[in-house]
Amino acid sequence: AQSVTQLGSHVSVSEGALVLLRCNYSSSVPPYLFWYVQYPNQGLQLLLKYTSAATLVKGINGFEAEFKKSETSFHLTKPSAHMSDAAEYFCAVTVWGGSYIPTFGRGTSLIVHP
Amino acid sequence: EAGVTQSPTHLIKTRGQQATLRCSPISGHTSVYWYQQALGLGLQFLLWYDEGEERNRGNFPPRFSGRQFPNYSSELNVNALELEDSALYLCASSLLTSGANVLTFGAGSRLTVL
């Protein structure tokens, strides 16, 4: 069975600073990996996804993530944080040939200070 | 195009009562997923429906049940409510094509059990 672990339930950064949200996955077969964002009082929306086409994936709002098989990681980064980036971020995994049900991490709350 | 809609937005019940939550997927999407988002626990998979059939269920007791209608809308029923059922219930839909399918989420129904 697949799983994801998000390190850090809260990450605090200053506006303009680098954002780094960590996600490690566990899967015995090639994974598909996703990052979703949840703004207050809203559902989740897709930021980006990895489907084996390229290891560096660019998403919306300036976010990107790099798939590193050797480290079983899919960390999310953004060079410069904006106040509007404050939200809950979820990493998720599905696997090739498996069920189509994404398994989500527990989420990381990004706090952006002025 | 209308997104995934959920109703009601908020629901307050007492222990032992039943709750019914409803979801309308994006037009053309045949798969509906239900997740429970309890504080600090991330998203826990509840149920997956596709083409009117229950395809999979998560590790929840049988008092959590649901169905999918011919128009692909879905409802989630929770019987014999317990305090720990208090959570945000998220519905998502997808056009199931592969393990890389992206889920589109509704804003959720917040259930409070007193």
Side-chain angles (χ1 to χ4, degrees):
Chain A
Q2 70 267 23
S3 66
V4 290
T5 302
Q6 292 185 240
L7 300 176
S9 58
H10 295 82
V11 170
S12 182
V13 300
S14 298
E15 193 173 19
L18 172 71
V19 175
L20 171 60
L21 304 182
R22 299 177 187 274
C23 173
N24 288 89
Y25 70 90
S26 174
S27 172
S28 58
V29 297
Y32 298 109
L33 294 158
F34 308 80
W35 276 100
Y36 286 82
V37 60
Q38 184 180 31
Y39 298 103
N41 300 315
Q42 295 185 28
L44 281 69
Q45 64 183 83
L46 182 72
L47 272 177
L48 49 81
K49 67 177 181 180
Y50 166 75
T51 59
S52 79
T55 56
L56 182 62
V57 182
K58 295 187 182 299
I60 62 172
N61 300 337
F63 284 93
E64 63 181 36
E66 186 173 9
F67 173 72
K68 292 187 177 180
K69 184 178 179 180
S70 61
E71 299 177 9
T72 62
S73 68
F74 190 57
H75 302 331
L76 182 70
T77 61
K78 181 175 180 177
S80 177
H82 294 163
M83 296 296 291
S84 59
D85 294 328
E88 190 85 13
Y89 292 79
F90 293 92
C91 183
V93 63
T94 60
V95 295
W96 185 88
S99 78
Y100 298 149
I101 305 166
T103 299
F104 285 83
R106 293 196 171 194
T108 298
S109 178
L110 177 64
I111 302 161
V112 182
H113 298 286
Chain B
E1 177 184 277
V4 176
T5 58
Q6 293 187 242
S7 63
T9 305
H10 295 89
L11 188 60
I12 299 175
K13 294 286 187 178
T14 57
R15 285 180 60 189
Q17 287 189 312
Q18 178 196 31
T20 298
L21 310 177
R22 296 179 177 84
C23 172
S24 293
I26 287 177
S27 177
H29 284 189
T30 61
S31 270
V32 171
Y33 304 76
W34 287 95
Y35 284 85
Q36 182 194 67
Q37 185 178 14
L39 196 62
L41 296 180
L43 276 71
Q44 304 294 314
F45 168 69
L46 271 165
L47 291 158
W48 170 32
Y49 292 95
D50 183 58
E51 296 285 358
E53 299 287 331
E54 181 180 304
R55 302 296 183 182
N56 209 325
R57 66 179 291 127
N59 189 26
F60 281 85
R63 57 191 187 82
F64 286 84
S65 65
R67 53 180 170 166
Q68 186 178 34
F69 299 99
N71 66 353
Y72 303 116
S73 67
S74 176
E75 70 179 28
L76 173 68
N77 295 293
V78 188
N79 294 319
L81 285 166
E82 299 180 2
L83 296 178
E84 53 265 34
D85 297 334
S86 294
L88 182 67
Y89 289 84
L90 292 167
C91 172
S93 72
S94 75
L95 184 59
L96 190 64
T97 56
S98 73
N101 64 311
V102 174
L103 271 58
T104 302
F105 284 84
S109 293
R110 184 163 297 281
L111 173 63
T112 302
V113 183
L114 303 176

